[in-house]
Amino acid sequence: MSNSTKISIGLAALVVVIALYGFVAYNRFVSVNEAVDNQWAQVQTQYQRRFDLIPNLVESVKGVMKQEQKVFGDIADARTRYAGASNVDEKAQAASQLEGAVGRLLVIVENYPQLKSSENVQTLMAQLEGTENRVSVERQRFNDAVRSLNIMTKSFPSNVVAKLFGFKERPYFEAAPAAANAPQVQF
């Protein structure tokens, strides 16, 4: 076998290895990208559960608390903004707005003994608390999936495949800056 034949075979083998790597990397990107989308869907599922519970809690509390109409309006506004949101960032902002309003509602409920003793309110509060825990878990899982995708889009040599096929970094779910402040309710 001549040297040129050996070089040709070596180059052909190298091209095959690179092509195989490209196929494997592309399929991995597709899989990880879908995992991110799936995890965001799980976050949205928990948000929907929250949005379904909150009106029941609000209605249970409304009868006792006529003077707290602003909190109810804020909750309704946040639900409307979430329903009209068209992307992840808008949905995250609306969810953060809702969290602030719900936080104020929970403080109000804690300060009204007749509400705390209502079985209906207690049940709804427990369900809402469980939902908030689920939201937190699903957000963390979403961020874990995003981290995996972002590592792949930044690491060599998979970053070459990412650029070639248009895979991009995805943003993490981050709490709104206002979420760092505890809700304040004064009577």
Side-chain angles (χ1 to χ4, degrees), residues 129-142:
E129 181 179 322
T131 299
E132 292 302 317
N133 290 336
R134 289 182 187 125
V135 166
S136 178
V137 167
E138 296 304 338
R139 283 181 184 165
Q140 180 60 49
R141 289 178 180 164
F142 172 77

Side-chain angles (χ1 to χ4, degrees), residues 30 55-56 63 66 69 87 100 108 111 115 119 127 134 139 141-142 150 159 173:
V30 168
N56 294 330
K66 296 290 185 201
Q69 295 302 314
N87 61 43
I108 290 167
N111 287 309
L115 285 176
E119 185 178 330
Q127 289 179 5
R134 289 182 187 125
R139 283 181 184 165
R141 289 178 180 164
F142 172 77
N150 290 350
N159 64 342
F173 185 96

Side-chain angles (χ1 to χ4, degrees), residues 40 44 47 82-83 85-96 173:
W40 178 247
Q44 286 186 299
Y47 280 161
Y82 185 84
S86 61
N87 61 43
V88 172
D89 290 336
E90 289 176 2
K91 286 185 183 281
Q93 288 173 352
S96 294
F173 185 96

Side-chain angles (χ1 to χ4, degrees), residues 34 53 181:
E34 286 299 313
L53 283 172
N181 301 323

Side-chain angles (χ1 to χ4, degrees), residues 116-130:
K116 286 171 60 173
S117 65
S118 166
E119 185 178 330
N120 193 28
V121 171
Q122 284 181 350
T123 300
L124 289 167
M125 293 284 289
Q127 289 179 5
L128 187 59
E129 181 179 322

Side-chain angles (χ1 to χ4, degrees), residues 40-177:
W40 178 247
Q42 292 301 319
V43 171
Q44 286 186 299
T45 298
Q46 295 309 318
Y47 280 161
Q48 188 60 53
R49 177 172 159 61
R50 175 202 283 165
F51 288 134
D52 291 343
L53 283 172
I54 289 171
N56 294 330
L57 179 61
V58 167
E59 289 303 316
S60 297
V61 173
K62 259 185 180 177
V64 180
M65 305 170 28
K66 296 290 185 201
Q67 70 273 27
E68 302 301 337
Q69 295 302 314
K70 180 169 178 3
V71 173
F72 303 136
D74 290 347
I75 289 172
D77 180 53
R79 292 183 78 227
T80 301
R81 283 187 60 214
Y82 185 84
S86 61
N87 61 43
V88 172
D89 290 336
E90 289 176 2
K91 286 185 183 281
Q93 288 173 352
S96 294
Q97 178 186 356
L98 180 75
E99 288 167 9
V102 169
R104 291 191 309 275
L105 178 64
L106 297 180
V107 169
I108 290 167
V109 169
E110 286 295 317
N111 287 309
Y112 278 93
Q114 67 268 34
L115 285 176
K116 286 171 60 173
S117 65
S118 166
E119 185 178 330
N120 193 28
V121 171
Q122 284 181 350
T123 300
L124 289 167
M125 293 284 289
Q127 289 179 5
L128 187 59
E129 181 179 322
T131 299
E132 292 302 317
N133 290 336
R134 289 182 187 125
V135 166
S136 178
V137 167
E138 296 304 338
R139 283 181 184 165
Q140 180 60 49
R141 289 178 180 164
F142 172 77
N143 281 344
D144 290 345
V146 167
R147 180 181 44 81
S148 295
L149 177 65
N150 290 350
I151 288 171
M152 286 180 61
T153 60
K154 293 178 182 179
S155 301
F156 182 80
S158 62
N159 64 342
V160 175
V161 175
K163 287 179 185 174
L164 185 65
F165 291 106
F167 290 101
K168 296 181 179 3
E169 281 185 68
R170 302 274 289 268
Y172 288 102
F173 185 96
E174 295 179 2

